[in-house]
């Protein structure tokens, strides 16, 4: 069987690329060895959000009296049922993608895809031909030699999404989005959680003010946060508990927990897919591509977690569309990696786009900063979620450089500053755009006003 475009991997990069190619009239096949939708839909973004929603509802029930509600009896988390709900959500979304593939006439080929020659892919012994082959094989949790994963006591996010009982104690190594979200989830359900971060602050890729706010938020819920701390060794002792040898500001010590969650990043899935045989160039563990995701081998492309850039579902989707449109001769704009929205779905949530304050200062830019705390927001006060703020960074010509938000539902607010940055909007334009009242989004307008020295509600 020969196709115009064959894509290996059905995650948010692969399946989106496949649908866009079909829309453009190409004959398309999509190869997938596991569940349609990839890690994101099945073992990442989507089931995680389902778990976090259950934890949020539990929190509301636990504090019902603050909203004038009385609950008879005790509200308890049932992890088995919480996980079952998350699996149902993931399966629903996966079926939705399968429907879209069928609707667009895309052939779904089950199995492990491997390049055998330019224009040829072997899938479990059957060979397929294509004019263009896009690799979108995604990534898996990174495993470190000092922290061997056994799937029971020392686990990755995959196992953390499918536990059936709550441990009393948990140590989470790494405070990026995955580590922070799962640490918050388990802490919210009553687990005594300790977060260990090698770098000097929590969520180290975020603006420093965001990091400080989130460290306070975690400690407020009685989770310990150890920053600037190195994990030397993790082992399981005779009692079945995990011993974690660390070195930090207090020197060397050994911590103990029922479970250790390794959240130290991801490893691209590039092994065994034929890169070496075809001479596809790899650099620093990722496939080297040009702005339209062409590799050094004609007809072979790569997108998503296996190429340089942020390993995010929405980035992979954007890359997939750009790649396919370039193949089909539409001359798309390259993906703008300076305007990638980032979200962490803890409580409070974190949302950011563009430069941090530190990055702007390091580049020698003259900047203006506008801040608006949600303690001054009518909507946040009415909702009982006043923690957090909006921070906007502008250059000397008042163009938006970066936006950093902490608070309830701020991930739903991020599209506005992302679009503003992409279109080159100014502080004045944002401030004079009428925002509905009362909404959390007013915080963006108020922060822009603050940058201009014209804040109304501060």
């Amino acid at each position: 069987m020969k196709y115009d475009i064959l894509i290996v991997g059905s995650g948010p990069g692969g399946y989106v690329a496949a649908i866009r190619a079909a829309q453009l009239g190409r004959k398309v096949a999509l190869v997938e060895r596991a569940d349609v939708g990839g890690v994101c839909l099945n073992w990442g973004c989507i089931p995680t959000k389902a778990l976090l929603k259950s934890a949020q509802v539990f929190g509301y029930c636990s504090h019902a009296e603050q909203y004038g509600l009385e609950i008879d009896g005790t509200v308890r988390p049932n992890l088995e049922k919480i996980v079952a709900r998350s699996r149902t959500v993931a399966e629903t979304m996966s079926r939705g993608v399968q429907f879209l593939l069928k609707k667009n006439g895309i052939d779904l080929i089950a199995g492990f895809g491997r390049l055998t020659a330019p224009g040829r892919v072997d899938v479990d012994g059957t060979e397929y031909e294509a004019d263009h082959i896009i690799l979108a094989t995604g990534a898996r949790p990174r495993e470190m030699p000092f922290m061997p994963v056994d799937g029971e006591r020392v686990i990755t996010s995959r196992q953390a999404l499918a536990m059936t009982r709550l441990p009393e104690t948990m140590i989470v190594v790494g405070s990026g989005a995955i580590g922070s979200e799962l640490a918050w989830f388990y802490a919210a359900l009553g687990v005594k959680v300790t977060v260990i971060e090698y770098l000097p602050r929590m969520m180290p890729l975020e603006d420093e003010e965001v990091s400080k706010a989130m460290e306070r938020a975690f400690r407020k819920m009685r989770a310990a946060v150890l920053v600037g701390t190195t994990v030397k060794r993790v082992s399981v002792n005779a009692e079945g508990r995990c011993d974690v040898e660390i070195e930090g500001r207090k020197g060397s010590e050994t911590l103990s927990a029922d479970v250790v969650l390794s959240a130290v990043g991801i490893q691209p899935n590039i092994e065994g897919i034929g890169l070496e045989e075809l001479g596809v160039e790899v650099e620093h563990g990722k496939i080297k591509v040009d702005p339209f995701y062409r590799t050094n081998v004609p007809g072979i492309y790569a997108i998503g977690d296996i190429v340089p850039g942020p390993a995010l579902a929405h980035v992979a989707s954007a890359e997939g569309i750009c790649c396919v449109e370039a193949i089909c001769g539409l001359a798309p704009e390259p993906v703008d990696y300076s305007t990638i929205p980032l979200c962490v779905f803890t409580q409070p949530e974190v949302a950011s786009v563009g430069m941090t304050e530190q990055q702007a200062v390091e580049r020698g830019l003259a900047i203006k900063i506008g801040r608006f705390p949600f303690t001054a927001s009518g909507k946040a006060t009415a909702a009982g979620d006043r923690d957090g703020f909006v921070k906007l960074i502008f250059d000397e010509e008042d163009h938006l450089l970066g936006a950093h938000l902490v608070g309830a539902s701020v991930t739903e607010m991020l599209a506005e500053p992302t679009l503003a940055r992409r279109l080159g909007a100014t502080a004045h334009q944002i401030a004079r755009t009428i925002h509905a009242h009362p909404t959390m989004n007013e915080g963006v307008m108020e922060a822009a006003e603050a940058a201009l020295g014209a804040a109304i509600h501060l």
Side-chain angles (χ1 to χ4, degrees), residues 279-290:
V280 176
E281 192 172 352
V282 174
E283 191 172 71
H284 305 302
K286 293 199 172 189
I287 298 174
K288 192 174 180 180
V289 292
D290 72 7

Side-chain angles (χ1 to χ4, degrees), residues 51-329:
L51 295 179
L52 294 170
K53 187 62 181 181
S54 292
Q56 183 186 36
V57 172
F58 175 63
Y60 278 133
C61 292
S62 301
H63 298 92
E65 290 186 0
Q66 295 179 12
Y67 296 89
L69 303 175
E70 297 179 359
I71 296 178
D72 291 331
T74 303
V75 178
R76 295 193 241 350
N78 183 320
L79 186 59
E80 191 170 353
K81 291 183 178 179
I82 290 172
V83 168
R85 175 181 178 273
S86 77
R87 299 314 312 150
T88 298
V89 169
E91 289 161 8
T92 299
M93 297 306 296
S94 181
R95 286 196 300 270
V97 172
Q98 292 176 56
F99 166 77
L100 292 173
L101 298 177
K102 185 175 181 181
K103 173 187 172 184
N104 286 278
I106 297 163
D107 288 349
L108 181 61
I109 302 171
F112 184 89
R114 182 175 59 85
L115 298 168
T116 56
R120 295 179 183 272
V121 173
D122 175 88
V123 182
D124 294 346
T126 301
E127 191 167 82
Y128 298 87
E129 294 183 51
D131 294 327
H132 306 277
I133 298 169
I134 302 174
L135 303 175
T137 50
R140 61 190 184 276
R142 184 185 300 277
E143 295 188 25
M144 307 300 282
F146 60 83
M147 188 165 43
V149 172
D150 62 16
E152 294 183 7
R153 292 296 181 183
V154 183
I155 63 175
T156 68
S157 57
R158 179 71 174 254
Q159 292 86 40
L161 291 174
M163 294 175 68
T164 55
R165 67 172 187 83
L166 291 171
E168 290 186 14
T169 56
M170 174 183 284
I171 291 174
V172 178
V173 182
S175 70
I178 295 171
S180 293
E181 287 179 4
L182 290 171
W184 183 85
F185 170 72
Y186 281 102
L189 297 185
V191 177
K192 186 178 179 182
V193 173
T194 298
V195 179
I196 300 176
E197 173 56 54
Y198 171 75
L199 292 172
R201 52 189 176 86
M202 189 177 191
M203 299 185 187
L205 298 182
E206 299 292 342
D207 188 87
E208 188 171 353
E209 288 184 47
V210 171
S211 294
K212 290 179 179 178
M214 292 311 298
E215 285 182 29
R216 289 193 298 270
F218 269 72
R219 287 168 178 147
K220 186 177 179 181
M221 64 188 303
R222 298 180 182 177
V225 178
L226 305 178
V227 296
T229 300
T230 301
V231 174
K232 295 292 191 180
R233 182 170 176 266
V234 176
S235 59
V236 179
N237 62 32
E239 289 74 39
R241 287 175 58 80
C242 297
D243 292 330
V244 181
E245 299 174 22
I246 64 171
E247 186 168 337
R249 295 172 180 175
K250 298 180 180 179
S252 298
E253 59 180 310
T254 299
L255 307 179
S256 181
D258 295 320
V259 174
V260 170
L261 168 59
S262 174
V264 290
I266 59 172
Q267 178 75 34
N269 294 324
I270 60 173
E271 304 91 346
I273 60 174
L275 300 182
E276 296 85 357
E277 289 85 345
L278 268 67
V280 176
E281 192 172 352
V282 174
E283 191 172 71
H284 305 302
K286 293 199 172 189
I287 298 174
K288 192 174 180 180
V289 292
D290 72 7
F292 299 103
Y293 309 100
R294 295 174 290 219
T295 70
N296 63 306
V297 178
I300 306 296
Y301 310 77
I303 61 172
D305 296 353
I306 59 175
V307 303
L312 298 167
H314 45 284
V315 173
S317 296
E319 291 171 345
I321 291 171
C322 179
C323 178
V324 164
E325 290 186 348
I327 289 171
C328 296

